Amino acid sequence: MPVDADVLSAAAVRTRIRKDPGRLRPVPHLLDYEATRAAFRWEDARATLDGLPGGGGLNIAHEAVDRHLLHGRAGKTAIRWIGKDGARRELNFAQLAAETSRFANALQALGLRQGERVFVLMGRLPELYVSVLGALKARCVVTPLFSAFGPEPIATRAEVADARLVVTTPELYQRKLHGLRERLPRLQHVILVGEGEAEGPGVRRWKDLVDPASPVFTIGRTEPQSMALLHFTSGTTGRPKGAVHVHEAVVAHAATGRYALDLHDDDIFWCTADPGWITGTSYGIVAPLVNGVTSVVVEAEFDAQTWYSVLEGERVTVWYTAPTAFRMMMKLGAEALRGYDLSALRFAASVGEPLNPEAVLWGGEAFGLPFHDNWWQTETGGIMIANYAAMDVKPGSMGKPLPGITAAIVRRTPAGGVEVVDTPMTEGELALRTPWPSMMRGYLHEEERYRKCFADGWYLTGDLAQRDEEGYYWFVGRADDVIKSAGHLIGPFEVESALMEHPAVAEAGVIGKPDPVVGEVVKAFVALKPGYEPGEALRRELLGHARKRLGAAVAPKEIDFRANLPRTRSGKIMRRLLKARELGLPEGDLSTLESDEK
Ligand code: WT7
């Protein structure tokens, strides 16, 4: 939300952020916003890519990997992997081309056909990157899953997507997948990376199947509109939604990598996101590679000292991360940065949740760089609104729409259409003019839910925002009950359903409770069945149950007991009211309230 204009005017920021004159800055790709926007055409962005040889269409993996061999980058480092124990592995573009071809050949040998679904469930190992790109070469549809998901989110997603093959590690297989095999009869193949005990139907080892496969693979004809990636996202109710993305999305990944992240040939780029969330795929895999840029992959989870060492040691020039990480670093203070030489860093950006103005300013003071917030969603496939390298940062603002993207603030009309709101700083729903190359093409098997996202040629984002008189967008909040915790989108319904599985639980309502570091924490309110008494032991048991079913990233951190939960006349739990009461806010319109907790 806009804050005190005096303190945070662009000029004030410029003076508070020490620009390091010694820092090497190439000329930004987007130097003149208005002129670039006026001249931009998606056809031209498409023309910067190669297409498959002989007019064979457009394939993400060809653009990200193979084509670079024809442009003198064979020996250039594509992925620089840093393992948890300090191990390192570099894959140049030629090696990445060979490894991904081996994987594509292995899929074909197993009989996987075009369009069949491949799930990848593992930490950030090199094989994750090889699997995703190799499966795209084989024209399979890929879903990278977050390895901290518990069995329940994995099973629901595999059911919706009809997963045929999973690439994982023996440890994750044993812990999460083994017990799901009966529930997932269509899951035929499992490829295990690394050592460890694990057995089951169709379980094979990477070293037996992929390593010996041929490093030569010819990508078949790929229609730009054919399905490439399926990324799950959560709504307020119902099962998670599989957002369908097509091979043409690579056009947006290439262009937004240049404009919003200012990627240049010599950059060392680090996207800290896990590919289990779309940022880690679109910008942790595709965007840097398609631009021929070296990408750093860090297996370890967040730890400030480790991260500073990576920034220094790898001489990272462009860094894309999340506000939660900034806030954790902020908590440790600028002193923790002392002694690190971060002079290579020239551009830092963040996404996924609001970047508070204080964090932007702290970044300026601690790193000598303004932090550039940008905005997008699983559904948009790529960055849609951004603060650019060559423009003043307005701290607290998400920036301006990318070239090729038209945004607006709209209101839904009773007739089912939308009305554009032109008055500056008026709150409304953020909408984007359709289409663009990385726009989702559907929610898998959910036409109705997909259709509801569009009206009068606009995609409706479900976010509330404002636009100021200079065309910068300001995030206000979400229009629905979906929770954002540490940048991860969590559907309250998925959490409520897992709690309801416990024999003691009669009803559950789940909200996002504001938190100064992670944005929101998942908090559950639970009413018990007759015969169960609230108490510390049961609370712990329920927290443990949820954690086991959902995984640490999704499970609630807090549970409160209530005698009843507030419900509407149609029987829906009023999360809005639970939240208002939790925060001591006005309860709002209660005309639909049927039963109450009191
Ligand atoms: C939701 C989308 C960002 C891509 C990966 C996450 C929130 C995103 C910002 C921002 C405030 C933001 C929105 C959006 N969000 N960026 N810069 N400022 N909020 O995609 O998991 O589908 O989440 O994240 O609410 O709708 P996602």
Side-chain angles (χ1 to χ4, degrees):
M1 276 261 241
V3 284
D4 190 338
D6 258 7
V7 183
L8 296 169
S9 71
V13 173
R14 272 199 305 272
T15 50
R16 286 189 65 180
I17 293 170
R18 289 176 282 119
K19 292 250 178 181
D20 178 348
R23 240 178 251 251
L24 212 60
R25 292 165 206 269
V27 178
H29 284 299
L30 196 154
L31 203 50
D32 180 333
Y33 179 76
E34 293 306 333
T36 310
R37 236 185 121 70
F40 182 89
R41 288 161 63 232
W42 283 114
E43 300 90 274
D44 298 336
R46 164 66 181 85
T48 66
L49 302 176
D50 286 12
L52 285 168
L58 188 65
N59 184 294
I60 296 175
H62 179 73
E63 302 306 324
V65 188
D66 290 10
R67 74 171 178 134
H68 294 302
L69 276 53
L70 310 170
H71 298 288
R73 291 198 179 98
K76 180 174 179 177
T77 302
I79 291 176
R80 182 184 294 165
W81 178 77
I82 300 162
K84 273 183 191 155
D85 54 2
R88 298 170 69 88
R89 190 170 161 203
E90 300 238 347
L91 285 165
N92 63 31
F93 279 97
Q95 290 162 331
L96 188 59
E99 293 304 314
T100 50
S101 287
R102 287 187 210 280
F103 187 80
N105 279 317
L107 290 188
Q108 275 197 347
L110 289 174
L112 258 83
R113 290 186 307 267
Q114 183 172 5
E116 290 197 302
R117 258 70 94 179
V118 170
F119 274 42
V120 183
L121 173 77
M122 67 177 96
R124 289 177 295 280
L125 296 172
E127 287 84 355
L128 161 59
Y129 297 78
V130 171
S131 304
V132 169
L133 292 161
L136 291 172
K137 281 190 169 177
R139 296 176 296 171
C140 288
V141 175
V142 196
T143 298
L145 275 189
F146 193 41
S147 60
F149 274 162
E152 195 50 45
I154 295 171
T156 345
R157 285 157 180 77
E159 274 170 353
V160 172
D162 194 14
R164 306 306 298 277
L165 182 144
V166 178
V167 192
T168 187
T169 64
E171 193 257 332
L172 288 169
Y173 179 80
Q174 282 306 106
R175 236 174 359 110
K176 307 191 175 183
L177 271 165
H178 183 68
L180 295 173
R181 293 304 296 274
E182 266 178 36
R183 186 167 157 194
L184 301 173
R186 306 265 296 156
L187 174 60
Q188 285 178 326
H189 307 284
V190 177
I191 303 180
L192 297 178
V193 173
E195 303 297 321
E197 291 291 309
E199 266 173 56
V203 173
R204 314 277 296 266
R205 299 281 164 162
W206 180 284
K207 66 173 171 14
D208 301 332
L209 197 69
V210 182
D211 286 344
S214 160
V216 180
F217 182 85
T218 305
I219 301 175
R221 182 173 172 80
T222 311
E223 293 302 331
Q225 299 305 326
S226 60
M227 207 193 295
L229 288 149
L230 192 61
H231 274 287
F232 282 86
T233 184
S234 299
T236 311
T237 61
R239 298 205 289 187
K241 301 172 279 187
V244 172
H245 289 287
V246 298
H247 280 275
E248 192 195 24
V250 68
V251 176
H253 298 143
T256 55
R258 286 195 296 274
Y259 289 136
L261 300 176
D262 199 36
L263 292 176
H264 284 72
D265 216 28
D266 295 336
D267 277 317
I268 305 288
F269 175 66
W270 182 25
C271 170
T272 62
D274 188 277
W277 308 92
I278 196 167
T279 309
T281 303
S282 293
Y283 295 94
I285 305 181
V286 184
L289 294 178
V290 75
N291 281 301
V293 166
T294 298
S295 196
V296 173
V297 172
V298 177
E299 187 193 9
E301 291 310 319
F302 174 81
D303 165 74
Q305 299 301 333
T306 311
W307 280 28
Y308 298 154
S309 305
V310 170
L311 289 170
E312 175 183 67
E314 308 312 320
R315 308 223 28 92
V316 172
T317 58
V318 179
W319 186 29
Y320 194 27
T321 185
T324 291
F326 277 148
R327 289 191 291 262
M328 297 205 235
M329 292 184 273
M330 238 172 115
K331 255 175 78 175
L332 295 174
E335 307 79 62
L337 267 159
R338 212 165 290 144
Y340 290 99
D341 170 11
L342 305 183
S343 58
L345 189 64
R346 66 168 181 86
F347 187 76
S350 88
V351 73
E353 33 170 343
L355 181 68
N356 30 327
E358 298 74 22
V360 178
L361 291 176
W362 182 79
E365 277 155 20
F367 292 87
L369 285 171
F371 281 98
H372 297 75
D373 188 17
N374 59 52
W375 177 97
W376 57 291
Q377 301 178 308
T378 302
E379 286 85 346
T380 71
I383 303 172
M384 297 283 111
I385 295 180
N387 285 286
Y388 305 91
M391 271 166 45
D392 285 345
V393 174
K394 284 200 188 185
S397 156
M398 312 188 287
K400 291 187 176 197
L402 267 282
I405 298 297
T406 303
I409 300 297
V410 305
R411 287 220 180 94
R412 300 192 193 218
T413 62
V418 299
E419 197 173 84
V420 173
V421 182
D422 271 326
T423 334
M425 293 322 269
T426 310
E427 186 178 313
E429 187 168 355
L430 176 62
L432 304 166
R433 195 82 203 153
T434 63
W436 61 93
S438 63
M439 184 179 97
M440 68 159 169
R441 299 302 201 274
Y443 288 129
L444 195 68
H445 312 313
E446 302 245 33
E447 245 170 75
E448 179 62 18
R449 278 170 115 183
Y450 181 67
R451 215 179 37 76
K452 281 193 181 146
C453 300
F454 299 88
D456 295 342
W458 294 93
Y459 162 67
L460 301 161
T461 67
D463 276 5
L464 301 174
Q466 301 173 325
R467 192 189 64 246
D468 69 18
E469 49 302 322
E470 290 178 81
Y472 284 79
Y473 282 80
W474 300 79
F475 182 77
V476 173
R478 288 193 59 100
D480 59 18
D481 291 337
V482 169
I483 300 161
K484 254 287 151 123
S485 188
H488 302 149
L489 203 66
I490 297 170
F493 183 75
E494 214 170 356
V495 182
E496 289 159 3
S497 306
L499 286 167
M500 299 279 287
E501 282 172 19
H502 191 279
V505 176
E507 38 184 18
V510 168
I511 65 159
K513 178 179 161 186
D515 177 273
V517 177
V518 297
E520 292 183 313
V521 291
V522 180
K523 168 151 194 174
F525 296 89
V526 164
L528 296 174
K529 286 190 184 147
Y532 290 92
E533 284 303 315
E536 202 39 45
L538 187 53
R539 186 202 313 277
R540 275 213 214 99
E541 184 179 323
L542 291 178
L543 286 169
H545 161 85
R547 214 181 144 93
K548 196 161 151 248
R549 302 294 298 149
L550 297 166
V554 182
K557 299 276 181 296
E558 286 179 32
I559 295 181
D560 274 8
F561 294 108
R562 292 282 185 273
N564 294 292
L565 298 182
R567 282 183 180 275
T568 62
R569 280 187 204 118
S570 57
K572 277 197 212 140
I573 290 179
M574 292 179 82
R575 302 186 187 110
R576 178 177 61 75
L577 188 54
L578 285 169
K579 190 162 177 168
R581 287 177 180 165
E582 171 74 19
L583 304 179
L585 295 173
E587 297 192 352
D589 178 9
L590 297 182
S591 56
T592 59
L593 184 65
E594 168 78 8
S595 60
D596 206 346
E597 55 190 345
K598 288 174 187 159

